[in-house]
Amino acid sequence: MRIALGSDHAGLCLKREIAAQLTSLGHEPLDFGTQGTASVDYPDFAEKVARAIQSGDCAKGVLVCGTGVGMCIAANKFRGIRAALCTCELEARMTRQHNDANILCLGERVIGVELARAIAEAFFATAFAGGRHQVRLDKIAAIERGEAQR
Ligand code: RB5
């Protein structure tokens, strides 16, 4: 699977660890930056990864910042993006099964590398369950289109 990766300066090291892991699992990671330790703004990289998924260039993505929270908030502003911040394997499995999450968000300052690897492995190994969960995703899509009652 072609997977878009992005981080800010606070997520750089963990992003590189996950990139290596994804390669070893047979995936094709595509790194949209940042590539250095200079302070940058996480929404810029959330946008690059979200756009790569919207265009179909990449099937899924991984975004890493200090907490994972900012990346998650920013990525979810883009239509069709379902970004999930995961801090354990259960969340990773469930968000794939129930939410069909297409971006995994991680916080380098929150979790260790081994846990992050286990989360990423679970995320990319788990399929969407469909069925009643698709009905709920359709409602989210309707909200994005502005069709929901307010
Ligand atoms: C950067 O200092 C930090 O704010 C960012 O990486 C992230 O944690 C934001 O949510």
Side-chain angles (χ1 to χ4, degrees):
M1 185 190 298
R2 206 162 146 94
I3 300 171
L5 300 187
S7 76
D8 67 359
H9 52 288
L12 180 65
C13 294
L14 183 56
K15 178 186 64 180
R16 288 180 171 166
E17 295 285 350
I18 298 299
Q21 178 197 14
L22 292 176
T23 301
S24 75
L25 288 171
H27 295 297
E28 190 189 345
L30 207 62
D31 190 347
F32 287 84
T34 189
Q35 301 297 353
T37 53
S39 182
V40 292
D41 300 330
Y42 59 83
D44 298 338
F45 301 92
E47 176 167 9
K48 287 175 199 287
V49 167
R51 298 275 184 222
I53 294 169
Q54 283 180 326
S55 71
D57 189 25
C58 292
K60 290 192 176 61
V62 178
L63 286 167
V64 191
C65 64
T67 60
V69 175
M71 284 295 198
C72 195
I73 292 170
N76 278 314
K77 300 297 178 191
F78 294 86
R79 185 166 291 191
I81 296 301
R82 294 176 301 278
L85 172 59
C86 296
T87 57
C88 68
E89 289 176 64
L90 177 64
E91 289 169 345
R93 271 200 312 278
M94 296 302 283
T95 198
R96 286 289 310 124
Q97 284 175 4
H98 287 198
N99 315 125
D100 198 16
N102 50 16
I103 295 182
L104 169 64
C105 298
L106 297 169
E108 180 176 327
R109 293 174 177 163
V110 179
I111 58 171
V113 176
E114 287 307 321
L115 178 55
R117 284 199 191 105
I119 289 169
E121 186 167 351
F123 186 91
F124 288 104
T126 305
F128 178 47
R132 68 186 189 279
H133 303 295
Q134 184 58 57
V135 174
R136 295 158 187 169
L137 296 191
D138 291 344
K139 291 189 176 187
I140 293 174
I143 294 169
E144 282 181 334
R145 291 193 302 269
E147 293 166 7
Q149 301 279 328
R150 289 177 199 274

Short mmCIF file of all heavy atoms in Angstrom, two decimals, residues 8-10 42 65-71 109, ligand 1:
data_model
loop_
_atom_site.label_atom_id
_atom_site.label_comp_id
_atom_site.label_asym_id
_atom_site.label_seq_id
_atom_site.Cartn_x
_atom_site.Cartn_y
_atom_site.Cartn_z
N ASP A 8 5.57 17.26 11.90
CA ASP A 8 6.28 18.51 12.16
C ASP A 8 7.61 18.13 12.82
O ASP A 8 7.98 16.94 12.89
CB ASP A 8 5.42 19.48 13.00
CG ASP A 8 5.16 18.99 14.41
OD1 ASP A 8 5.61 17.88 14.77
OD2 ASP A 8 4.49 19.73 15.17
N HIS A 9 8.33 19.14 13.31
CA HIS A 9 9.63 18.90 13.93
C HIS A 9 9.51 17.98 15.15
O HIS A 9 10.40 17.19 15.43
CB HIS A 9 10.26 20.24 14.36
CG HIS A 9 9.33 21.07 15.20
ND1 HIS A 9 8.22 21.71 14.66
CD2 HIS A 9 9.31 21.34 16.52
CE1 HIS A 9 7.57 22.33 15.62
NE2 HIS A 9 8.20 22.12 16.76
N ALA A 10 8.38 18.06 15.86
CA ALA A 10 8.20 17.29 17.09
C ALA A 10 7.84 15.83 16.82
O ALA A 10 7.85 15.01 17.74
CB ALA A 10 7.12 17.93 17.97
N TYR A 42 2.38 22.31 11.96
CA TYR A 42 1.81 21.00 11.62
C TYR A 42 0.67 21.03 10.59
O TYR A 42 0.54 20.09 9.79
CB TYR A 42 1.40 20.23 12.89
CG TYR A 42 0.38 20.93 13.76
CD1 TYR A 42 -0.97 20.86 13.48
CD2 TYR A 42 0.78 21.68 14.87
CE1 TYR A 42 -1.90 21.52 14.26
CE2 TYR A 42 -0.14 22.34 15.65
CZ TYR A 42 -1.48 22.26 15.35
OH TYR A 42 -2.40 22.91 16.12
N CYS A 65 2.91 14.41 15.26
CA CYS A 65 3.38 15.67 15.86
C CYS A 65 3.69 15.37 17.32
O CYS A 65 3.84 14.21 17.70
CB CYS A 65 2.38 16.80 15.65
SG CYS A 65 0.77 16.61 16.45
N GLY A 66 3.81 16.40 18.14
CA GLY A 66 4.18 16.16 19.54
C GLY A 66 3.16 15.31 20.26
O GLY A 66 3.48 14.32 20.92
N THR A 67 1.91 15.70 20.15
CA THR A 67 0.83 14.95 20.81
C THR A 67 -0.01 14.13 19.83
O THR A 67 -0.77 13.25 20.28
CB THR A 67 -0.14 15.92 21.50
OG1 THR A 67 -0.68 16.81 20.50
CG2 THR A 67 0.56 16.74 22.58
N GLY A 68 0.04 14.44 18.56
CA GLY A 68 -0.85 13.84 17.56
C GLY A 68 -2.17 14.58 17.46
O GLY A 68 -2.93 14.41 16.50
N VAL A 69 -2.46 15.45 18.43
CA VAL A 69 -3.76 16.11 18.49
C VAL A 69 -3.90 17.16 17.39
O VAL A 69 -4.91 17.20 16.67
CB VAL A 69 -3.98 16.76 19.88
CG1 VAL A 69 -5.28 17.55 19.88
CG2 VAL A 69 -4.00 15.71 20.97
N GLY A 70 -2.90 18.01 17.25
CA GLY A 70 -2.99 19.07 16.23
C GLY A 70 -3.11 18.50 14.83
O GLY A 70 -3.93 18.98 14.02
N MET A 71 -2.33 17.48 14.54
CA MET A 71 -2.40 16.83 13.22
C MET A 71 -3.80 16.28 12.98
O MET A 71 -4.35 16.40 11.87
CB MET A 71 -1.37 15.70 13.13
CG MET A 71 0.05 16.17 12.94
SD MET A 71 0.27 17.00 11.34
CE MET A 71 2.06 16.91 11.19
N ARG A 109 5.65 12.73 21.59
CA ARG A 109 5.96 13.10 22.97
C ARG A 109 5.07 12.35 23.96
O ARG A 109 5.18 12.56 25.17
CB ARG A 109 5.77 14.61 23.16
CG ARG A 109 6.79 15.43 22.37
CD ARG A 109 6.49 16.92 22.45
NE ARG A 109 7.51 17.71 21.76
CZ ARG A 109 7.35 18.98 21.39
NH1 ARG A 109 6.21 19.61 21.63
NH2 ARG A 109 8.33 19.61 20.77
C1 RB5 B 1 4.77 21.63 18.52
O1 RB5 B 1 5.38 22.29 19.56
C2 RB5 B 1 3.47 20.99 18.99
O2 RB5 B 1 2.55 22.00 19.33
C3 RB5 B 1 2.90 20.08 17.93
O3 RB5 B 1 3.84 19.13 17.59
C4 RB5 B 1 1.66 19.30 18.31
O4 RB5 B 1 1.83 18.64 19.51
C5 RB5 B 1 0.39 20.01 18.22
O5 RB5 B 1 -0.68 19.45 18.45
#
